[in-house]
Every structure is written in structure tokens, then in C-alpha cells.
Amino acid sequence: MGSWVSRTDVSERDHIKPESLVELDFVTEREAVSHRHENYELLFMVAGEIDMTIELDRHHLASGDIVLVNVGQEHGYRSDRDVTIARFLISSIRVRELLGMESALFWCNSTSDRHEAYDALRRIISRILNEVVCNEKENRLHLSSLYYQMLY
């Protein structure tokens, strides 16, 4: 089982520890220039709003919105106001190992798909954020199980 790492106020990064499946950053930068990377990125808007571009698609994300960026997709965002984003960097290597597949594409975008499944995902993300903020390092097994639930 991989380790879970949480970090705060870190600028955009692509690297993830080889043994990690998911790493969490809290991002407060108002802009991320257009870029690509080799891992999946799930963004959860904690506070504020951003205008985001993924490939040629534009999305407006507000508090509570969730979007997943697949491996290799060009993406970036901009905001005129302060933002707080929970950024889950998900290892593409570990996901492929778990699924037994060479590659995998996922869909998760609460701005263009208003499905009730996102409510369950928001509850899991909320539990993860509460665990990280209130009990960091106290109950790593519980946090690990929440990460698996989020990915499921």
C-alpha cells in the first residue's frame, strides 16, 4: 500500500512520490498557466471561482465544483479573486497497476454534468479535508481508505 502525503500552499507541481497513489495540495494561486503533466489531477474548489480551460473546453468552477484532468491534457486556469483549491495529484502509474490496464481515461466534471454521484464524491472529499486539517498523521489508515473511496 502506498503512502499518503498532504502539503499546503504549494505551487503547481507534477511529481509524485513513487510509492504514493494520491497526494494532496491546497493551492491558492490565482493562475496556473496552460500546461500538461503525466498524472491525473482532481481539483475541488474549496473557495472562490476560476475560469478553467481543459484542451479546447472552457469551464467556470465555483465553490463545491469538481473537475478531473486526465493525463496529458493541456489545462490552466485564472481568477481575479482569492481562491482555495484542494488539488489531488493521482499517480497514473499506480492507477494503471490497480486497474491492470495500459491506460485509462476518466470523466469527472460537475460543471457540465450535474449528476447526483457528485454529491457522494463531495461528501468523501469533505471527509478527506476534515481528516487532513483536523487529524493529520493521527489516523493514516482511515485517510487511506477515504482516498480509495474517492478514486472508486
Side-chain angles (χ1 to χ4, degrees):
M1 181 162 77
S3 67
W4 307 101
V5 178
S6 300
R7 303 179 195 277
T8 57
D9 294 323
V10 178
S11 35
E12 180 83 12
R13 67 185 172 95
D14 183 32
H15 64 279
I16 188 170
K17 291 181 180 177
E19 69 276 7
S20 294
L21 176 59
V22 176
E23 294 184 13
L24 170 61
D25 295 331
F26 288 99
V27 179
T28 57
E29 284 81 15
R30 293 181 180 189
E31 181 174 11
V33 296
S34 190
H35 63 284
R36 302 172 191 264
H37 41 77
E38 63 186 41
N39 293 298
Y40 300 99
E41 178 180 58
L42 186 133
L43 302 177
F44 175 75
M45 291 298 302
V46 176
E49 298 180 7
I50 61 173
D51 291 313
M52 182 169 199
T53 302
I54 303 173
E55 295 294 333
L56 300 176
D57 297 325
R58 293 176 186 235
H59 308 280
H60 181 80
L61 282 72
S63 295
D65 281 329
I66 305 165
V67 69
L68 183 127
V69 180
N70 278 294
V71 174
Q73 284 188 310
E74 186 172 344
H75 62 285
Y77 70 84
R78 186 175 187 312
S79 179
D80 294 330
R81 299 188 175 144
D82 291 341
V83 298
T84 302
I85 304 167
R87 178 179 182 258
F88 297 89
L89 197 59
I90 304 164
S91 170
S92 61
I93 293 170
R94 297 291 310 277
V95 167
R96 288 193 317 263
E97 289 172 355
L98 287 169
L99 296 176
M101 302 172 73
E102 288 297 316
S103 66
L105 292 176
F106 300 98
W107 174 259
C108 177
N109 187 335
S110 69
T111 66
S112 60
D113 183 16
R114 300 287 178 185
H115 193 273
E116 61 195 32
Y118 291 117
D119 294 334
L121 181 55
R122 283 184 190 93
R123 285 191 296 274
I124 293 168
I125 290 172
S126 178
R127 291 175 62 198
I128 290 169
L129 298 179
N130 285 332
E131 189 75 26
V132 168
V133 171
C134 298
N135 302 315
E136 190 166 355
K137 307 234 189 244
E138 266 184 42
N139 193 345
R140 295 176 64 80
L141 180 60
H142 184 245
L143 183 59
S144 295
S145 73
L146 291 172
Y147 279 121
Y148 276 103
Q149 289 176 50
M150 179 186 74
L151 293 175
Y152 177 75

